[in-house]
Amino acid sequence: MPRLATSSPRTWAEDPATGRRRNLTREEDHAFWGWAAIEVLRHAGIRVEELTELSHHSLVQYRLPPTGELIPLLSIAPSKTDQERLLVIAPELADVLSAIITRVRSADGTVPQAAAYDSRERTWNPSMPLLFQRRIGLENRPTTSTSIRGLLRDALASSGITGTDGEPLHFQPHDFRRLFTTDAILNGMPPHIAQLILGHTDINTTMGYKTAYPEEAIRGHRTFIAQRRSARPSEEYRSPTDAEWDEFLGHFEHRKLALGDCGRAYSTPCIHEHSCIRCPMLRIDPAQRQRLEEIRDNLRARIAEAEREGWSGEAEGLKVSLNAANNKLAQADLTQARRAEHVHLGIPAYRDIAAATLTTRGPRGH
């Protein structure tokens, strides 16, 4: 095994096939930040310049007036349209942000300050606890838009993924914004809500972000939109009313279940007739594990009774539910293990770090 003549803070290895020395520390760092950039762009739908300006102060919280439940939000600083936006942090995005904060925070638990240069305004921004920053030498430097594009390019090159023509794929940061928009609209989000979330001034710009899915899905969706436009042309593309906004917030209240939360898309009905144990959309709350164990034990007793009485059809259906309950128990254990591995986002525990708590009606479309 080759050895270095002097100690090094980096981990090196020699490729047995080529004999080339590889800096594994740098490769791991590039891989992490490439993954982090892709996941945040994919789950938040923000622009690349907005990504580089995310800071620990971007994490805020909104309290639902009827229930007092806290909804984690991501504050997007004004950029192209000079309008601040607030995005609901989905569980998948929360995991990514948690991993980023764990990566960049100092030994004292705080996120270091870093000053970024705004190439558009040609000024230096004030030092902030930026999420996308890297330790270079003795200082923390913010990650630039150019660096993000390089990380995406390297990630694609390393993956070896090609298109249908066999040629390497080329992704730009803005492509993930289009993927986010397409996914949101095809899963039931009203176009005028998507427009406000994305910060578009024109609804046609939002509707143009729909080219990432197969042709038949795009064609069907465009037909659906055309029918809605012809039926209600003046009502579909406007700012939401107070009643519509209250309905949008009410969606989060209706997702609350005894065993956790329902993860179905906004404005979509329950397709499993409220058989939550069997439904893959149920996100188990680990704190409800004992309740789930009681349900499992009850299913076992009912299966034994059905088999004893000769109710074969009943026993077969109960066994399906039992298998689903066991899967949900494993899901709860996995969720608990993941929470133990990651740092909390600072919402609401780090109230002195998270920038604000919204106790009144939040800005629409955020």
Side-chain angles (χ1 to χ4, degrees), residues 1 35 104 111 150-151 167 206 209 211 230 235 249 305 343:
M1 178 182 297
W35 167 82
V104 301
V111 177
L151 290 170
E167 295 296 323
T206 306
Y209 281 25
T211 57
S230 62
E235 293 295 321
L249 293 179
E305 178 188 15
V343 67

Side-chain angles (χ1 to χ4, degrees), residues 43 49 65 77 146 151 167 233 283 300 347 350:
H43 290 300
E49 60 269 18
T146 302
L151 290 170
E167 295 296 323
R283 294 167 177 162
R300 288 174 175 173
I347 304 173
Y350 295 168

Side-chain angles (χ1 to χ4, degrees), residues 8 22 47 65 107 112 136 145 150 153 170 214 239-240 249 283 365:
S8 172
R22 295 172 56 183
R47 303 178 178 94
I136 300 178
S145 299
R153 183 179 59 252
H170 299 282
S239 297
L249 293 179
R283 294 167 177 162

